[in-house]
Amino acid sequence: MSSPDGRTPAGWWERASLDARLAAALQANPRVSWRDLARAVESSESTVARRVRALTTSGALRTTVVVDSIRTGRGFPVTVYFAVTNKSLRTLADHLVARQDVRMVAVLTGRYGLLAEFITPSTEDLATILLDTLTGVDATFESMSEPVLREFKSTVDWSHSLVADIPGVRLPLLDLAPDEEPMALDPVEEAIAELLRVDGRMSFADLAQATGLSESAVRRRTDALIAAGRVHPMTLVDARLLGFHIQAFAWVDLAPSALADAVRALAARQEVRYVAATAGDSDLLVELIMPTQADLLRFRTEVLGNLPGVRGTRVSINVRTLKRAFLPVGVPGSDGE
């Protein structure tokens, strides 16, 4: 059960299994050294390496990097919701998972059975997707889109709450609304990002061999990309490993003057993994993660229901994530994805 104030329950780290602590630490810093990771979870380096390999093989954990679409000028996020007939659900889902411009796909409860997060360079490109590309899919559906105006909390921010008191683990948090002009990746940076997309913990020695750079040069280029926020190391984790069995999305309608206070209140809560202001049917898109359905009901009534300025809310449970961070997500333990 979540704590009443939305913070991580006291003693979570102490009660968590070794695998859960490893997953939490790797979410906070996917490229943390084996030595620092072992020190953080109070285990040996050999045990830590063996357990991480086992978790990766089972599909419960995967490290990668994501290129920041805003900082590199690739585009902005748009969440598109699909009301789909049961017969067409799999066809449309497979199409969305296969698309290179789709960062996330999830199956939801409620009227809109599919959610897809597109990265699109412009509103004109979005229009082309909606008017031309998607209409060619052999599926029956209707859609509704909401461009993301600004992100206020990310999954990286959320993961830090689980390791708040563990030194030597967390990466520095970056401003989600950068002021600097976008800068596209150069060919060497593209190569590094692609190698790390496949294996987010690839060593600098292996990166150097694959790119033809010296180890010191590839370390310098990689560290600069991460420090500037142009690529983000990520660890994708089966949330159940951390004790969170319910993932959901909430859409919040607010009086315009109440948005800033609502964002601060929601971003401070441990149950909230992601918050963004959107342009569409709702004002805020909120991704939630918590242990039980009882916690979700409590959050909806006691947190969302008590936000000043709220005009209405909708909540849907994410019953399965099919794609995250541009990577297809398999069923943990089924095929090693």
Side-chain angles (χ1 to χ4, degrees), residues 171-184:
L171 282 174
L173 295 177
L174 296 169
D175 188 351
L176 295 179
D179 293 327
E180 64 269 19
E181 288 295 315
M183 181 184 299

Side-chain angles (χ1 to χ4, degrees), residues 13-296:
W13 182 267
E14 291 75 14
R15 294 194 304 270
S17 67
L18 174 60
D19 286 354
R21 283 182 281 150
L22 286 170
L26 285 169
Q27 280 201 311
N29 186 351
R31 291 185 59 80
V32 65
S33 69
W34 292 119
R35 182 186 63 185
D36 288 342
L37 183 59
R39 183 182 300 132
V41 301
E42 299 179 334
S43 186
S44 68
E45 289 187 43
S46 60
T47 298
V48 163
R50 184 176 68 253
R51 290 309 309 153
V52 170
R53 283 194 296 269
L55 290 169
T56 302
T57 299
S58 72
L61 181 152
R62 181 173 181 178
T63 55
T64 185
V65 301
V66 176
V67 175
D68 189 293
S69 61
I70 303 296
R71 285 184 166 89
T72 58
R74 295 188 174 187
F76 61 93
V78 179
T79 308
V80 182
Y81 309 97
F82 299 90
V84 196
T85 63
N86 288 340
K87 187 176 181 180
S88 297
L89 183 61
R90 173 55 70 179
T91 300
L92 181 58
D94 289 345
H95 170 81
L96 294 169
V97 169
R99 291 183 64 99
Q100 293 186 350
D101 57 353
V102 172
R103 184 161 61 182
M104 180 182 181
V105 180
V107 181
L108 307 181
T109 60
R111 179 167 180 262
Y112 291 105
L114 276 178
L115 172 156
E117 183 188 41
F118 285 77
I119 302 298
T120 180
S122 68
T123 53
E124 185 57 38
D125 289 284
L126 175 60
T128 300
I129 292 170
L130 298 176
L131 289 172
D132 302 324
T133 309
L134 289 176
T135 55
V137 181
D138 185 20
T140 302
F141 62 88
E142 61 179 273
S143 66
M144 187 271 290
S145 58
E146 290 191 329
V148 171
L149 302 178
R150 179 177 174 180
E151 296 174 332
F152 296 97
K153 183 178 183 179
S154 71
T155 54
V156 175
D157 300 316
W158 174 82
S159 67
H160 281 210
S161 69
L162 299 178
V163 294
D165 300 320
I166 308 302
V169 171
R170 293 175 292 165
L171 282 174
L173 295 177
L174 296 169
D175 188 351
L176 295 179
D179 293 327
E180 64 269 19
E181 288 295 315
M183 181 184 299
L185 299 182
D186 65 30
V188 172
E189 292 168 337
E190 288 277 9
I192 292 171
E194 177 58 24
L195 290 165
L196 291 175
R197 185 188 70 83
V198 177
D199 178 6
R201 288 186 60 81
M202 180 178 282
S203 69
F204 290 117
D206 289 341
L207 283 171
Q209 184 175 14
T211 59
L213 298 173
S214 68
E215 187 170 339
S216 61
V218 80
R219 180 189 294 269
R220 185 171 61 252
R221 296 289 291 267
T222 303
D223 288 347
L225 284 171
I226 294 171
R230 297 169 69 214
V231 302
H232 301 289
M234 290 188 67
T235 299
L236 309 180
V237 175
D238 179 1
R240 293 171 296 184
L241 179 62
L242 300 173
F244 301 103
H245 296 271
I246 298 297
Q247 300 180 73
F249 289 91
W251 297 267
V252 184
D253 299 323
L254 291 157
S257 60
L259 191 142
D261 288 340
V263 164
R264 281 192 290 270
L266 291 170
R269 297 197 64 91
Q270 192 268 337
E271 305 100 326
V272 173
R273 184 155 65 176
Y274 175 86
V275 185
T278 57
D281 283 2
S282 61
D283 298 303
L284 290 179
L285 170 62
V286 184
E287 186 178 2
L288 303 169
I289 182 167
M290 52 197 66
T292 69
Q293 291 192 101
D295 291 305
L296 179 59

Side-chain angles (χ1 to χ4, degrees), residues 295-315:
D295 291 305
L296 179 59
L297 176 60
R298 187 177 301 106
F299 185 91
R300 185 173 192 179
T301 56
E302 297 179 8
V303 179
L304 294 179
N306 287 320
L307 284 176
V310 168
R311 294 170 170 170
T313 64
R314 287 191 300 115
V315 175

